Amino acid sequence: MNVRLAEMQRLSIAVAPGNCDGLTLAHFRVGELRKSKYDLNFITNIIALIRLPCGLALCLASAFGQDYLVKPVVPALTQDSNTTFLVDLTTVKTRADFASGNTQLTLVPAGFVSGGGYKGVVGFATPGNFSSNAWTLEMIIRLPYDASALNPIVLGTWRSDPQAFAYTLLLDGGWGVRTKLYSWDPKDYFLAQPYAGGDGQSIQTSGTDKWVYVAFGCDFSAQRCLTVARELTGDLLNHDITFAPSPSLDTNFLSGFAANQQPAELARRWRSAGQRFAQSMPPTFALGHPSVEIRAIRLSNRYRAEVFDVAPLLPQSDATTWAPQSLDATRARTHTVLRDVGYPSYNNFRTLTVNEGYLPLAPGDPAVSIQLTNVPIGLYSFFVYGAVDPAGRTNLARVWRPFPMDFEAHNAAGVPLAHGRMPLKQSFVPRRMQGFHFHVDSPGNVTATFRVPTNAMETAWIQKIVLADQLAGLPDAAVKTSQNIATGAANQETILTDARKQRDDAIWAALPPLNVPLQVEPQVVQFERPPAGAALDAWVTKAFQNVAPGDQPDYTFAPLDFLNTRTGQIFPQTNILNGEPWPGQFRDDGTGIFFRQADFPSLATDIYNTPRAELLGYRYLLFAGAIMDSRGDYYGLELPLNYFNSGDPNVGHDGAMALVRWAYDWPALEMNLHEVRLCTHSPDFEYDTDWSASRNGKMYYTGWSGNNAQWLLEAYDQVFPYLAGNQVFADAVHRHVPWVNTPQDVVRLLDRYLVFASVRDVKRGLIEGAANIEDAAGQVLGPSPLTRDLFDLTKQYSAIYPLEGTYQELYGTALSRSGVYYIGSYMVYAFRSAQEIITKAARIMSAKQQGVPVPMDLSDVAKYPKVRSAGNFLLDMWVAGGFPFMVGDASGGPHTGLQATNRLVLAKEAVSQAFKLYGDPRHAWVLRSLLGDTNNQSAITAAAGVLDPILHADSRVVPDYGAILELEPDETNILKKTSATLRLGIGQGHSHNDYLDLNLFGMGLPLAVDLACRNEGNYWSRPQAGWSFLHNHALAHDSDDPNGAGAQTGEPWLRAFAPPLLRASYVDQTGTTQLDRDVVLMQVGDTETYYAFDVQRLRGGAFHTWAFHGCESRSLQLNVPMANGMVNWTDRTLEGTQFSGSSSNTLQATWIMTRTTNNFAYTFNGGGTLHTVACEPTVLAALYNPALPEVKVRATLLGRSRDAVLQGNPYSDQYSYCFPFLWVQCTNEVESVYPAVYEWYRGNTSVVARAELIQTNPLQVKITTTTGQVAGFVACSGHKLRRHHHGHQLRDTSPDHLRAAAR
Amino acid sequence: MVAGNSGRHIFLHLLGSATSFGWEDDLLVQQGQITDLHVTGPDTIALTSDQQVFSGGSGNRKVEAMTVTTEDGQWHFRGGRVITKPLGSALNSGVFTDANGDGRVDMKTYEIGVGDHATLPVDITIQRASFGWQAKSNVPVRATINGVFFNLLASTGWLNLSPDGKIAPQPPTGLRIVK
C-alpha cells in the first residue's frame, strides 16, 4: 500500500493540566558517571571562544594549536601623507575626494547603488595618482553571489607589447585575490603572482554578498609584492589564514646563474619590472568590474607593510592587562621564537617568527607587583600567562618539576585580602599558568604581588597578567522575593548569640578558601602513594580521626587542622591557610611532595604525592554535602533540606551561612586552577590527554557541575524563608562580609554570586549547558525583569552535546525524535537527557502559570512533541520486564539484571512532571505503584485499571533507538518473558558501532546482549566494547584488523514492524555497504518457548564477518574442530582464548551461562587478574534456583561451509567479564547471506532439533523443534518478499503488494 | 509505516484508521539561523545555517532528501528546490522571515515532507486453531485456503474462520491470494 503524503500531519494531544511541581534535578549514582569525559573536547571548544563579560578571559590559546590570534588590521581608507588617490563611492560623484593628479572620474552615474557603492568600472588618470616604484591599492568591494561563477574577475589590467609587460589585478576563483606582474622579455623575464586565498578559498567561493577589504601592494626596490583580503573588522577574511598574503615569484631563471650572482640578478629583475611597470602604465586606469560593487578606493605612494603583514596579537598593557614592560620595564625581555599564529580551527595558522616579550621570574627573585586604585567591592582574579624557561630543553617531562607561585593582595592599609601558593602550569609556549583571586569588601586601593619561591625548580617567563572582575555583567540587585520551588519551613533565629557567632566563624573557616590547592576528584594512581623507601608522615584531618566516613558530616565545620598520626603533632588551620609546609623531611606546602625517579628507582616516573590537597579537597566535598541534597552522591548534612523539612532555625542558620560562604567564592571557583592533578603533569596519566588545559568545571568538572549548581539553587530556595527579612542573619553575615548590612544585601549577594554567576558559568563552559541552569535560575529567582530572558528559550544559550546554540534551535537539531540527545547510550546518558527536557518543560509551565511570558512554550507537548516522546522514553526502553535496552556505554552488560525500578525511582521527579505535563496513565501507574506517591490524587485516578507498563509492555518501536519485541506481554512472571531488541538509530560520544545489533532476553536473563560498557581510562574494555565486531550483526570491512572494521557511518531504518517479525536495513555513508536483516521470534506451540530465526544479507567490503555472542560462559562448544591460535582478528582478545577453524554447513555454537565466578590473568594495561561474576545467580538474585539445569544459548549458522571460524574472549577487569565471542568470516563475496537460528533452554534438551538449509535462492530453511513442530522459512532477496510456512501458521509480509502463493 | 525517499527512510507509528491518520513524533530534525541564502533560480535556493542536521550525509540521513521549510512553514524545499509554496507567490530571499520575532531568521528541516512516499507493509497471518483457522490482516484479503474461499476484512485482532466446519485443522497449504 503506497500513499503519497499530501501534507504534513500531526495529531493534537490533549494535555492534562497540572500544577507545578518541585524543582526536578537529574541525578544518578556514583560510579559509572564519574568517569565520563565525553564532553572534554566540547568544553575546549567553548573555552576557545571568547564570549565572556568584559575583562574575564579564560584562555586565549585555542585548542587547535594556535599560540596567538592574528592581529587585526582595521581598514582605514582615509587620506594621509601617503595617499595619492582617494574616493568614497557611497555617494554619487564624478570626482575623487582626493587625488595628487587629476581628480576626474570616468564612470556611469547609473552604476551607483543606493545604500551601497558603485557597481562597474571606474576610470581615473594615473599621472600623480598611481605611483610607480612603490604603491598600495586598497579597495572595499562586494561581489554578489550570482556573480560567483565568474572566474576570473579582472579588476584592472594593462598590457604593453613594447614594454613586454602586463599588469593585472584579479579575483581568482581558485587563488583568491591576486596580482600578476609579468614581463616576457627574454632578458628580463619576470612573473610575480602573489595571492590571498587558495585551496579553493576565494572571494567567489567564500566571500560573496558582503563587503570585503582587498589590498594590492608592491615595492620594486624592496622586492615585495603581496595581496590580502580582510573583513572590515580587520581580521583576515572569514578568519581564515588562507587569506593571508602569499608571495609567488617565479625564480626559475636564477638557475642559470651562479649562487653568488643570483641576488644581484634578482634585484635587477625587480628593477626592470619596476621600470617596465612605470613605462607601460597607461594615462588612465580602469578599475573595477561590472559585477563588482566598490565602496571605496585608496592609492598610496608606498608599500603599506602594516596592511600585508600577518602579525600575532601580542599582549598590550591596558587597564586590566600588564605586559612585561608595565610589570617591570627593567626586567622585561624579548626573545625571538616560532609561534603558530592564526584562528581557532583545525590547521588554521601559520608558523611565524615572533618577538615575544616576557619577564623572567626565577626562584627567589624579587616579586612583581601590581597596584590597583579605587577597586570597587567585588571578587577579582588575576590570571598569570606565560611559559617556563626552556633552559635548553626541547621537551618538557611528562611530570613537571615543582613550580609554585606565591600570591598576596593587600589593601591600602596593608591588611591582607588574600594570599596563596599555587602550582603553575607549564609549557614552553605561553599559556594560562594559574589564577589568583581576592575579595574586596570595601572600596579602595589594592596591591598584588607575585613571586616564585626559592623551592621552585623552574623559572617563570611571565607574558602578561590579566585582571578579571568575576562579577562583571552580573546584576547587582536583590531579585528573589519568595520561595518558589516548594513551600517549606520558615522559622528564624531571633538572637545572634556568642555561641551562634562562634558557630558561624567555624562554618566560615571550614571551607578551604580560594588560592589553596585542592584535589577534589580522584588523584591519578601514579600519585596516590609515595615511593617505597620514602617514610612519609601520615597526616589526617584531626577532626576525622577515628571517625567513620558515614559520621564525618557531623564534623563538617570542624577546624581544618591536620594531625600527624605518628607524632601526634597538630598542624593548625592558621598554618594551613598561611601556606606553611608540613614539618619534617617531606614538606607538603599544598602543592604536593615531588619525588624524583632518580632518587627513588622503584618509581616508573617522577611523581607527586598530594595528601594535603586531597585532604582539603575532601573538606570541600563535605562542605558541599552540608549544603546540597545530592541524592546520595555525597555524604553530607544537607542542612537546607533539613531546615526545609524540620523548621529548626538553628539548622536553617547553619545552612544559610554555609550557603553564603560557598557563594562568596563560587564565581571564581575553577577546577582547572585548583586541582593539583591538572597542574603537575601532562598528558594525564589516566586519560593520556592534556587535561591541564582542557579539564575544567567548578568544584567538579563540567559534567557534574551542572548537578552541583542545580542542587545549590535548590538549597537557596529551601533556606530562603530563613534569611528573608532576617536582620539577625544579615548581622551574622556582616561579620564576614562587611558590605552586607541588611537582609536585602544577603539576597543580593546570593542572587549575584550564586545564581547569576552560575548562569554565566554555563556560557563559560564551566557548567554543562545541558543542566538547564537558566531555567533553574529563573525558577529560583522568580519573575522579574532581570529573569525574563532566562525563560526565553528562543534566546537561551544551550549546550546539548555535541551542539550549542539557542535552546529553540537545539530542540530541533540536538534532540532526536525520542526527545533525547544523540549520545547513542541509554541507561545513564539518554535516560538523563529525557529527564532534562521534561524538567525544562515543567519549569516553563510553572513560569507560565506565574505570568512570565514564555515565547517558546515547551510545556505545550502538542507543539513540542519531543517532550512527550521523552516521557515515553522513560518507560519504553525497558525490556522483558525491566532490563535496559542495552545501547552504547553505561547501559548494562551481560550480567545486568532488572534495572527499571531503580532507575525510575531516581527519575521520580521527571516521571511526576511528565504526568503533570500530559497525563499519561502509564506515568500515573509508576507514580502510584512504583514510586509510592499516594498523595497525588490525579495520578491515582489516572492509574486505575492500568497495567504495569514495564512488566506488560507491548512490542514497540522507540524512535531513533530501536525496535523491541515483547513476546509475552501479558506474562507477569519475569522468568517466562521473552524479548528481543534490534538497534536502530545513530549517536556520538558514548555510542557503539551497533547498527542492527540483535539482543535476546528470556527466562529472566540477558541471553545475548551488548557489552554496553565504556572504554575510558581505568574503565577499559579490551577490545574496546564499542567496536563493531563485538555486536551481534554481520559486518563488511576491508582488512582483518577489527579496529575500525564495520564502523558505523549510517543510520539503520526499520522496513517492517510486524511482531514477532522485524525487518531492517543499514547502509553506510558511501552506500557501498548494505546490511538487511529479518528476524522473527517463532513460538513453539502455545508455550512460552521461542526460538529466533534470523537472516542477514550483507554487501560491500572485501571481508564479510558474521558476529555473535551468547551469554557469559566459561567456554564455547562448537561442532567443528578448532585449533588454538591467534590471528589479527582476535589478537586483542584474552591471550590463550583464541581459536580458529573452518565452518560447516550447519555450524553450531553453545554458550553455557556461568554459575560460578572465575579469574583470568591478563597482561594488558599493566596486567592483573580480572574476576568475573556468576552470571545466572547475579542476574536472578532471589529468583535463582540452583536446582534447575544450566542455561544454554545456542546459535546455529547455516550454509557457511567455506568460511573461517574465529573465537576469542573479549574482557574487562572493571566490568568483570571474559567470555567467548564467535566470528565466521569470508572474503571476496559480493553478497553473503547468513541464515541463523538462536535458541535458549535449560539442560540438555534444546528447542531446535534440526535446522536445514533447503536451498539458497530463494533461501529456504526448515526448522524442526524437538517437540516436532516444523517451520519453513522462505526469503527472497530481489523483492524482499518473505514468508514462512509453519506447522499451523501461514504468513505473508510484502512491502508493496500481494503476490500469489508459490505453493 | 516506512516513509521518506531513497535518501531518507524513517519508521513512523501511525495513529488513526482508514484514510485518516497521523503520527505523534516531532519530525523536526534541524533548526538553525540562516547564515547564507541565495535564490539561484525561480524555484531553487542555496542556503546554509549555523546548525547542521546531526550526522547529515551518513547513509540513511541524506540532507538533500529531507524537507526544509521557512520559519513560518509556508515554503517547503527539498534538495534546494521548491516543493510547496503559497499560491501565486514568487520565490525570493524575503520568503525567509523571522516569523516568531526572536531576531533570528531560521530554517527548519524535517525528516519527511510533501511528495515523500509512505509504505505500509502488508501483514497477513493465518494460523490453525482447534475450530479451524484464525486470520489477522492489516488489509482486506480475498484468499483461498485448501480450496476454500475467504473474504477477510482488515482487522487488528484475530478473525475466526470456520466455514461450515469443512476445514479440518490441518497445516495450511495452497494459500492463494486473489486480492
Side-chain angles (χ1 to χ4, degrees):
Chain A
M1 177 171 70
N2 286 322
V3 296
R4 192 172 177 86
L5 285 173
E7 58 181 72
M8 303 281 289
Q9 294 188 20
R10 277 189 197 173
L11 285 182
S12 294
I13 303 298
V15 179
N19 299 319
C20 70
D21 198 352
L23 184 68
T24 292
L25 305 170
H27 55 266
F28 24 73
R29 309 304 298 181
V30 173
E32 287 283 356
L33 186 64
R34 292 196 181 275
K35 292 300 178 181
S36 172
K37 66 174 179 66
Y38 71 87
D39 52 359
L40 276 181
N41 291 330
F42 174 59
I43 298 304
T44 300
N45 294 345
I46 290 179
I47 292 175
L49 302 175
I50 300 181
R51 198 195 309 125
L52 308 166
C54 68
L56 187 60
L58 279 184
C59 182
L60 288 180
S62 85
F64 296 95
Q66 283 71 303
D67 303 320
Y68 292 100
L69 294 174
V70 176
K71 181 179 176 182
V73 179
V74 180
L77 272 63
T78 55
Q79 183 182 348
D80 63 16
S81 59
N82 293 116
T83 303
T84 56
F85 183 86
L86 178 68
V87 60
D88 176 353
L89 292 168
T90 58
T91 55
V92 178
K93 58 189 61 170
T94 58
R95 292 188 173 276
D97 299 303
F98 171 80
S100 299
N102 192 335
T103 61
Q104 184 67 43
L105 301 175
T106 304
L107 40 68
V108 176
F112 284 93
V113 178
S114 174
Y118 175 82
K119 198 168 187 180
V121 177
V122 179
F124 59 92
T126 57
N129 294 330
F130 205 151
S131 66
S132 56
N133 181 59
W135 45 264
T136 303
L137 171 63
E138 301 166 86
M139 303 168 69
I140 295 178
I141 63 171
R142 179 164 64 185
L143 179 71
Y145 176 82
D146 56 17
S148 61
L150 298 175
N151 181 30
I153 296 173
V154 177
L155 297 176
T157 187
W158 71 69
R159 176 190 170 100
S160 167
D161 288 328
Q163 292 297 325
F165 187 83
Y167 167 65
T168 307
L169 306 173
L170 64 153
L171 305 178
D172 188 286
W175 293 96
V177 180
R178 198 162 206 188
T179 299
K180 182 176 181 181
L181 298 166
Y182 177 43
S183 173
W184 56 88
D185 182 271
K187 188 169 64 69
D188 293 343
Y189 169 81
F190 184 88
L191 178 60
Q193 301 187 87
Y195 58 94
D199 287 333
Q201 299 301 314
S202 65
I203 304 298
Q204 288 94 318
T205 61
S206 50
T208 60
D209 286 345
K210 66 177 180 179
W211 293 108
V212 175
Y213 167 86
V214 296
F216 309 82
C218 185
D219 185 337
F220 292 102
S221 301
Q223 303 181 28
R224 296 187 291 192
C225 183
L226 291 175
T227 62
V228 72
R230 292 184 185 273
E231 305 282 350
L232 297 189
T233 57
D235 289 305
L236 294 174
L237 183 61
N238 299 333
H239 294 84
D240 189 340
I241 201 70
T242 310
F243 286 104
S246 293
S248 173
L249 178 66
D250 182 358
T251 57
N252 286 333
F253 60 86
L254 292 176
S255 61
F257 295 84
N260 61 354
Q261 296 174 331
Q262 289 178 3
E265 178 60 21
L266 184 61
R268 191 193 71 76
R269 297 275 178 136
W270 274 98
R271 286 195 303 273
S272 167
Q275 290 164 357
R276 291 175 188 275
F277 177 85
Q279 291 164 6
S280 68
M281 184 183 294
T284 60
F285 185 51
L287 189 61
H289 187 277
S291 296
V292 176
E293 197 173 342
I294 306 173
R295 197 161 97 176
I297 303 170
R298 181 171 77 167
L299 269 164
S300 307
N301 60 6
R302 70 173 178 90
Y303 175 85
R304 292 185 183 267
E306 66 276 15
V307 163
F308 299 102
D309 287 349
V310 174
L313 185 61
L314 294 173
Q316 298 293 324
S317 295
D318 58 28
T320 57
T321 301
W322 289 262
Q325 282 290 336
S326 60
L327 284 172
D328 186 340
T330 65
R331 288 192 275 175
R333 303 282 184 270
T334 60
H335 67 149
T336 302
V337 287
L338 293 177
R339 294 287 185 240
D340 294 340
V341 180
Y343 298 98
S345 63
Y346 176 71
N347 216 27
N348 193 1
F349 66 93
R350 284 188 180 175
T351 303
L352 302 177
T353 301
V354 174
N355 288 329
E356 198 171 73
Y358 67 96
L359 187 150
L361 202 61
D365 276 358
V368 296
S369 64
I370 292 174
Q371 310 293 331
L372 304 175
T373 57
N374 298 325
V375 182
I377 290 172
L379 174 57
Y380 301 88
S381 299
F382 280 111
F383 296 110
V384 179
Y385 293 81
V388 63
D389 180 358
R393 293 170 290 183
T394 54
N395 292 302
L396 267 178
R398 184 173 191 172
V399 178
W400 303 330
R401 300 190 301 185
F403 190 26
M405 174 171 274
D406 287 338
F407 165 76
E408 292 179 4
H410 297 84
N411 65 12
V415 175
L417 301 177
H419 64 271
R421 172 175 291 187
M422 300 292 289
L424 298 180
K425 299 171 188 286
Q426 302 182 28
S427 77
F428 294 152
V429 177
R431 64 175 298 174
R432 188 177 74 157
M433 303 175 86
Q434 197 40 268
F436 299 94
H437 321 282
F438 61 99
H439 289 277
V440 173
D441 290 322
S442 57
N445 298 342
V446 175
T447 300
T449 61
F450 306 85
R451 61 168 54 85
V452 175
T454 54
N455 66 336
M457 297 175 68
E458 300 283 0
T459 294
W461 283 9
I462 298 175
Q463 189 194 44
K464 64 180 178 182
I465 299 177
V466 177
L467 175 68
D469 179 354
Q470 291 284 359
L471 303 177
L474 305 182
D476 187 8
V479 176
K480 188 171 176 63
T481 58
S482 61
Q483 190 175 41
N484 296 321
I485 298 173
T487 303
N491 304 336
Q492 297 178 346
E493 287 280 8
T494 56
I495 301 173
L496 187 60
T497 64
D498 286 342
R500 181 69 253 178
K501 292 177 184 177
Q502 289 175 8
R503 176 77 169 165
D504 289 344
D505 294 345
I507 292 173
W508 200 266
L511 183 68
L514 299 167
N515 309 312
V516 170
L518 304 172
Q519 187 60 46
V520 184
E521 290 205 349
Q523 183 56 282
V524 290
V525 165
Q526 288 81 351
F527 289 6
E528 278 182 352
R529 290 183 179 79
L536 263 64
D537 286 333
W539 289 91
V540 300
T541 297
K542 174 173 173 289
F544 299 158
Q545 193 187 23
N546 301 321
V547 177
D551 296 329
Q552 288 172 1
D554 294 336
Y555 301 88
T556 299
F557 305 128
L560 299 176
D561 299 359
F562 295 131
L563 172 71
N564 186 324
T565 58
R566 182 178 66 84
T567 66
Q569 183 181 3
I570 295 173
F571 195 79
Q573 179 167 282
T574 50
N575 286 5
I576 298 170
L577 300 180
N578 285 334
E580 299 290 333
W582 281 339
Q585 180 185 2
F586 300 100
R587 298 157 62 80
D588 189 353
D589 60 5
T591 63
I593 308 164
F594 181 65
F595 291 99
R596 296 193 313 164
Q597 184 198 24
D599 298 328
F600 296 91
S602 65
L603 293 174
T605 178
D606 295 347
I607 67 165
Y608 284 84
N609 186 236
T610 59
R612 184 158 157 172
E614 293 172 50
L615 289 172
L616 293 176
Y618 179 67
R619 291 303 297 265
Y620 221 100
L621 193 59
L622 208 58
F623 202 100
I627 302 171
M628 306 175 191
D629 172 13
S630 68
R631 280 67 175 167
D633 278 359
Y634 315 144
Y635 291 124
L637 295 171
E638 298 178 353
L639 294 165
L641 178 63
N642 282 337
Y643 169 72
F644 179 85
N645 291 326
S646 70
D648 183 338
N650 214 25
V651 172
H653 191 108
D654 281 356
M657 182 59 69
L659 182 67
V660 170
R661 174 63 188 96
W662 183 282
Y664 189 61
D665 289 348
W666 179 250
L669 189 66
E670 196 179 331
M671 174 195 178
N672 186 260
L673 300 175
H674 68 238
E675 293 280 274
V676 289
R677 172 174 170 174
L678 308 181
C679 301
T680 48
H681 74 290
S682 178
D684 184 80
F685 274 119
E686 183 177 359
Y687 285 93
D688 203 29
T689 190
D690 180 20
W691 270 14
S692 73
S694 62
R695 183 81 166 172
N696 213 343
K698 298 293 288 182
M699 176 185 73
Y700 270 137
Y701 101 107
T702 304
W704 296 335
S705 290
N707 275 355
N708 290 172
Q710 295 257 11
W711 298 332
L712 288 167
L713 300 186
E714 178 187 54
Y716 180 22
D717 199 68
Q718 289 166 339
V719 296
F720 185 77
Y722 181 81
L723 57 90
N726 187 342
Q727 188 60 48
V728 169
F729 184 71
D731 292 341
V733 173
H734 172 79
R735 298 176 61 248
H736 299 281
V737 186
W739 61 264
V740 172
N741 294 299
T742 67
Q744 283 294 85
D745 289 339
V746 175
V747 174
R748 187 159 63 96
L749 184 153
L750 288 169
D751 288 356
R752 192 179 197 205
Y753 282 62
L754 180 65
V755 183
F756 284 115
S758 296
V759 174
R760 187 268 322 267
D761 283 344
V762 173
K763 297 178 175 63
R764 288 170 61 187
L766 301 184
I767 297 176
E768 66 166 354
N772 297 324
I773 295 301
E774 287 91 341
D775 317 330
Q779 187 176 27
V780 163
L781 294 178
S784 154
L786 290 172
T787 60
R788 184 164 33 233
D789 284 350
L790 296 176
F791 294 106
D792 184 354
L793 301 185
T794 68
K795 295 187 174 65
Q796 184 189 92
Y797 166 79
S798 188
I800 301 177
Y801 178 83
L803 305 172
E804 58 176 283
T806 67
Y807 186 82
Q808 176 179 242
E809 290 165 1
L810 294 197
Y811 168 88
T813 314
L815 296 179
S816 67
R817 265 190 286 156
S818 286
V820 303
Y821 62 158
Y822 292 96
I823 194 65
S825 169
Y826 166 52
M827 197 167 66
V828 170
Y829 297 103
F831 191 73
R832 177 183 67 173
S833 177
Q835 296 174 68
E836 286 168 353
I837 188 174
I838 293 168
T839 295
K840 202 173 190 71
R843 289 205 189 108
I844 293 298
M845 183 167 71
S846 170
K848 189 173 66 172
Q849 291 168 346
Q850 293 182 66
V852 177
V854 286
M856 177 179 169
D857 184 3
L858 193 65
S859 67
D860 182 350
V861 298
K863 195 172 178 184
Y864 300 101
K866 292 184 184 183
V867 177
R868 183 180 55 244
S869 296
N872 295 340
F873 190 83
L874 294 179
L875 304 179
D876 286 342
M877 289 286 284
W878 304 106
V879 179
F883 291 95
F885 189 153
M886 300 193 191
V887 174
D889 294 346
S891 287
H895 50 259
T896 291
L898 303 176
Q899 298 289 317
T901 300
N902 290 344
R903 296 287 164 167
L904 287 171
V905 166
L906 295 177
K908 177 178 181 178
E909 286 163 292
V911 174
S912 175
Q913 290 170 336
F915 176 71
K916 287 187 173 62
L917 284 166
Y918 62 93
D920 188 333
R922 299 191 304 158
H923 292 123
W925 186 95
V926 172
L927 282 173
R928 184 201 68 185
S929 305
L930 202 60
L931 305 179
D933 186 347
T934 55
N935 297 322
N936 190 334
Q937 191 56 47
S938 55
I940 293 170
T941 303
V946 175
L947 293 178
D948 182 344
I950 308 299
L951 185 61
H952 297 294
D954 264 320
S955 300
R956 60 209 177 275
V957 177
V958 180
D960 298 325
Y961 264 82
I964 302 170
L965 293 177
E966 301 279 8
L967 282 305
E968 296 288 336
D970 298 329
E971 179 59 63
T972 56
N973 186 346
I974 290 288
L975 303 180
K976 296 183 178 180
K977 291 280 191 187
T978 297
S979 305
T981 64
L982 191 67
R983 170 72 172 132
L984 308 170
I986 197 167
Q988 174 182 332
H990 284 283
S991 58
H992 287 188
N993 294 278
D994 55 3
Y995 49 94
L996 301 186
D997 183 30
L998 176 68
N999 284 193
L1000 300 167
F1001 300 82
M1003 300 188 287
L1005 295 162
L1007 300 168
V1009 300
D1010 190 19
L1011 293 172
C1013 66
R1014 307 171 189 272
N1015 180 64
E1016 295 176 18
N1018 290 335
Y1019 287 75
W1020 53 263
S1021 48
R1022 177 122 173 122
Q1024 298 181 27
W1027 286 5
S1028 178
F1029 85 137
L1030 297 184
H1031 297 83
N1032 289 343
H1033 60 186
L1035 55 151
H1037 47 104
D1038 289 320
S1039 84
D1040 64 352
D1041 183 355
N1043 184 4
Q1048 182 165 353
T1049 60
E1051 183 182 22
W1053 70 96
L1054 199 59
R1055 288 181 287 116
F1057 177 72
L1061 168 69
L1062 296 175
R1063 304 173 64 192
S1065 292
Y1066 164 80
V1067 174
D1068 71 352
Q1069 187 172 25
T1070 62
T1072 54
T1073 293
Q1074 176 159 350
L1075 175 65
D1076 300 317
R1077 186 165 208 169
D1078 296 1
V1079 179
V1080 62
L1081 262 64
M1082 181 59 64
Q1083 189 176 16
V1084 177
D1086 291 325
T1087 69
E1088 290 129 359
T1089 301
Y1090 293 79
Y1091 63 86
F1093 177 65
D1094 172 41
V1095 178
Q1096 297 182 78
R1097 295 180 186 274
L1098 180 64
R1099 289 182 287 282
F1103 290 75
H1104 289 173
T1105 301
W1106 174 87
F1108 186 80
H1109 61 278
C1111 58
E1112 290 195 40
S1113 176
R1114 284 179 177 269
S1115 62
L1116 183 62
Q1117 297 175 355
L1118 285 160
N1119 65 344
V1120 295
M1122 300 285 279
N1124 199 312
M1126 182 183 71
V1127 297
N1128 279 353
W1129 191 254
T1130 57
D1131 68 355
R1132 293 168 182 86
T1133 57
L1134 185 69
E1135 44 268 39
T1137 67
Q1138 301 103 342
F1139 296 89
S1140 59
S1142 291
S1143 180
S1144 69
N1145 214 37
T1146 307
L1147 177 70
Q1148 227 164 43
T1150 305
W1151 288 259
I1152 304 173
M1153 189 174 285
T1154 61
R1155 289 181 152 185
T1156 56
T1157 61
N1158 202 352
N1159 302 323
F1160 297 90
Y1162 63 90
T1163 57
F1164 175 70
N1165 200 37
T1169 302
L1170 75 91
H1171 310 282
T1172 62
V1173 304
C1175 184
E1176 189 184 348
T1178 296
V1179 174
L1180 292 180
L1183 296 178
Y1184 172 62
N1185 184 353
L1188 293 177
E1190 291 176 313
V1191 171
K1192 294 178 181 173
V1193 176
R1194 186 166 81 170
T1196 303
L1197 180 64
L1198 303 172
R1200 306 302 309 180
S1201 57
R1202 293 184 303 279
D1203 291 1
V1205 179
L1206 303 168
Q1207 172 190 342
N1209 285 21
Y1211 61 103
S1212 169
D1213 194 345
Q1214 275 290 351
Y1215 296 107
S1216 304
Y1217 67 79
C1218 178
F1219 65 105
F1221 280 46
L1222 181 68
W1223 300 279
V1224 178
Q1225 192 170 84
C1226 69
T1227 58
N1228 298 317
E1229 197 164 273
V1230 175
E1231 177 180 271
S1232 297
V1233 182
Y1234 297 101
V1237 182
Y1238 312 114
E1239 52 182 314
W1240 43 96
Y1241 51 93
R1242 288 186 181 273
N1244 296 320
T1245 302
S1246 60
V1247 175
V1248 173
R1250 197 164 52 254
E1252 302 164 80
L1253 179 63
I1254 305 301
Q1255 69 179 50
T1256 56
N1257 192 13
L1259 181 71
Q1260 289 187 28
V1261 172
K1262 178 179 173 183
I1263 297 175
T1264 306
T1265 69
T1266 50
T1267 59
Q1269 178 174 292
V1270 178
F1273 298 86
V1274 179
C1276 305
S1277 62
H1279 35 67
K1280 299 183 176 60
L1281 174 65
R1282 185 177 179 282
R1283 304 177 195 160
H1284 59 261
H1285 185 168
H1286 187 277
H1288 68 267
Q1289 189 179 79
L1290 179 68
R1291 184 127 189 222
D1292 187 293
T1293 59
S1294 168
D1296 51 4
H1297 59 274
L1298 304 178
R1299 295 181 76 251
R1303 47 191 159 109
Chain B
M1 72 162 184
V2 178
N5 54 61
S6 62
R8 179 68 180 148
H9 305 279
I10 62 168
F11 179 87
L12 280 178
H13 180 70
L14 296 183
L15 302 174
S17 62
T19 59
S20 176
F21 58 89
W23 52 84
E24 286 188 319
D25 298 25
D26 191 340
L27 301 184
L28 179 64
V29 73
Q30 176 272 350
Q31 179 169 350
Q33 187 175 31
I34 294 173
T35 53
D36 200 19
L37 170 63
H38 305 285
V39 176
T40 55
D43 63 348
T44 56
I45 57 167
L47 78 170
T48 59
S49 170
D50 62 354
Q51 298 289 352
Q52 315 305 317
V53 171
F54 180 83
S55 208
S58 297
N60 181 39
R61 292 179 74 88
K62 297 286 189 297
V63 176
E64 59 271 23
M66 299 182 186
T67 299
V68 172
T69 76
T70 54
E71 199 174 303
D72 61 8
Q74 294 295 302
W75 290 73
H76 295 197
F77 306 83
R78 184 177 298 117
R81 188 170 293 276
V82 173
I83 52 176
T84 65
K85 65 178 184 179
L87 194 62
S89 299
L91 179 62
N92 59 78
S93 60
V95 305
F96 287 86
T97 62
D98 176 15
N100 68 352
D102 65 352
R104 300 165 72 86
V105 177
D106 281 0
M107 60 174 276
K108 296 183 177 184
T109 305
Y110 293 89
E111 306 229 34
I112 60 172
V114 173
D116 280 330
H117 287 79
T119 304
L120 182 66
V122 170
D123 183 1
I124 304 167
T125 303
I126 300 173
Q127 70 179 27
R128 184 174 47 171
S130 58
F131 51 81
W133 304 92
Q134 284 181 305
K136 184 164 61 174
S137 171
N138 65 351
V139 295
V141 178
R142 287 195 292 158
T144 62
I145 302 176
N146 294 6
V148 180
F149 176 78
F150 291 98
N151 189 357
L152 304 175
L153 300 175
S155 65
T156 56
W158 292 101
L159 300 177
N160 294 333
L161 309 177
S162 179
D164 303 325
K166 289 181 181 178
I167 301 291
Q170 297 175 14
T173 60
L175 171 67
R176 179 168 180 269
I177 302 167
V178 177
K179 179 180 179 182

